[in-house]
Amino acid sequence: MRLRVEFTTEPFDLEEAPAHAVAAREVIQKAQLDAVDVGPFGNTAEGEADQVLTAVAALLRDSLEAGATRVSLQVNVIREETS
């Protein structure tokens, strides 16, 4: 099964990426996931279920430890197309 995760961390800072946002992005970038897209207002990544779920656990832990007061995330199953 493949999953897509979309997430943001708060509080926002438009001047500079806060430590919690940097921590979350580093987790995702190191997780060997596919289609990683990081941005100032949202981040997405795709991968095999085990990899995504492991990355989400680390993302929550690391971003909260780095000062996040809220982490919003959504995980979707990516349906495989059948021929």
Side-chain angles (χ1 to χ4, degrees):
M1 177 186 320
R2 289 185 56 78
L3 300 176
R4 175 182 297 120
V5 60
E6 302 175 42
F7 68 93
T8 59
T9 62
E10 295 179 36
F12 294 114
D13 182 344
L14 297 177
E15 299 296 319
E16 182 177 332
H20 56 81
V22 172
R25 290 177 189 162
E26 286 177 354
V27 166
I28 292 300
Q29 291 173 326
K30 291 178 184 177
Q32 298 180 341
L33 300 175
D34 306 326
V36 174
D37 183 24
V38 296
F41 299 109
N43 309 280
T44 61
E46 298 177 7
E48 294 301 317
D50 286 343
Q51 292 174 311
V52 170
L53 295 173
T54 298
V56 166
L59 179 155
L60 290 169
R61 182 182 54 252
D62 290 4
S63 61
L64 292 169
E65 287 177 357
T69 57
R70 179 179 180 154
V71 179
S72 300
L73 64 90
Q74 179 173 316
V75 178
N76 295 305
V77 173
I78 300 173
R79 300 260 183 227
E80 293 185 30
E81 294 183 23
T82 56
S83 302

